[in-house]
Amino acid sequence: MSETMNSMDRRIKKSKAALKDALIHLMQRHPFKEISITDIVQRADLNRGTFYRHYQYKEDLFNEIIDDVIQDLVTSFRKPYQDEEKFEVNLMPSSAITIFEHVHQHAQFYTLVVKSEASSNFQHMICDVLQDLALQDLNHIFLRTSTMKYWQATNLMRYLA
């Protein structure tokens, strides 16, 4: 029973990956508005039923791609310090900063989304995610030092002024 579930999960993952790859490929050549579900499933070599089993609209597929990229961004951002009791930036090797690998890995997607009319809010979403990460995670790590408290207070005053 469990093996059947695993093979079904693999098929679902494979189908969804094919649909996502197809949409990204098509967005390189056509405006998002001009891409049809038929175009997507033909490129993915799947049938329409498979598409509708997972998504209602092409926008749902696109939003899932965005969610996947943002989740990977969060994971990449947190990786250097997620298991650290004490975090010292100056002692961290450059190879530990995986967010640059994330950007490189998803460069084609970022370029497409920035140029596309499909998600005009994407840049704001990314900025909001990074700001929230910095405020939530890094404050937890750095607030132990009075220098960080002073820095935050000074910058807050500059922002409010």
Side-chain angles (χ1 to χ4, degrees):
M1 176 80 176
S2 135
E3 190 171 320
T4 306
M5 288 296 285
N6 282 340
S7 70
M8 187 171 16
D9 288 347
R10 279 188 272 133
R11 285 183 293 182
I12 290 170
K13 288 178 184 177
K14 188 175 178 181
S15 295
K16 284 186 159 194
L19 292 167
K20 291 173 186 179
D21 290 344
L23 180 57
I24 290 171
H25 176 83
L26 290 166
M27 286 177 68
Q28 291 173 347
R29 289 157 179 73
H30 308 285
F32 183 77
K33 289 179 184 177
E34 293 178 11
I35 299 170
S36 68
I37 291 172
T38 301
D39 296 331
I40 296 168
V41 297
Q42 285 178 349
R43 176 72 193 173
D45 196 24
L46 298 169
N47 63 46
R48 291 177 70 85
T50 301
F51 180 91
Y52 288 114
R53 190 173 302 121
H54 304 294
Y55 308 102
Q56 189 171 3
Y57 305 106
K58 67 179 180 180
E59 289 80 5
D60 298 334
L61 170 60
F62 184 67
N63 288 333
E64 188 170 294
I65 295 170
I66 289 174
D67 291 343
D68 291 348
V69 170
I70 288 176
Q71 184 56 49
D72 189 64
L73 172 70
V74 169
T75 301
S76 298
F77 185 89
R78 286 182 169 153
K79 191 174 182 178
Y81 62 85
Q82 68 186 7
D83 296 325
E84 298 295 323
E85 181 71 28
K86 186 177 180 184
F87 182 66
E88 295 185 41
V89 176
N90 58 339
L91 298 179
M92 185 173 60
S94 60
S95 62
I97 304 173
T98 58
I99 195 166
F100 298 118
E101 291 173 21
H102 162 85
V103 172
H104 179 72
Q105 180 182 359
H106 297 286
Q108 180 182 37
F109 174 78
Y110 282 116
T111 302
L112 285 173
V113 173
V114 168
K115 291 180 179 178
S116 171
E117 79 287 348
S119 182
S120 59
N121 199 26
F122 182 73
Q123 291 172 335
H124 293 291
M125 289 170 54
I126 293 295
C127 289
D128 289 346
V129 166
L130 290 172
Q131 180 180 3
D132 290 347
L133 281 169
L135 291 173
Q136 293 169 5
D137 294 8
L138 297 180
N139 279 343
H140 175 72
I141 293 169
F142 288 124
L143 273 179
R144 298 178 199 143
T145 66
S146 60
T147 306
M148 186 62 181
K149 289 179 186 176
Y150 173 77
W151 179 84
Q152 285 179 322
T154 303
N155 283 314
L156 179 61
M157 294 306 290
R158 285 186 199 152
Y159 179 76
L160 294 175

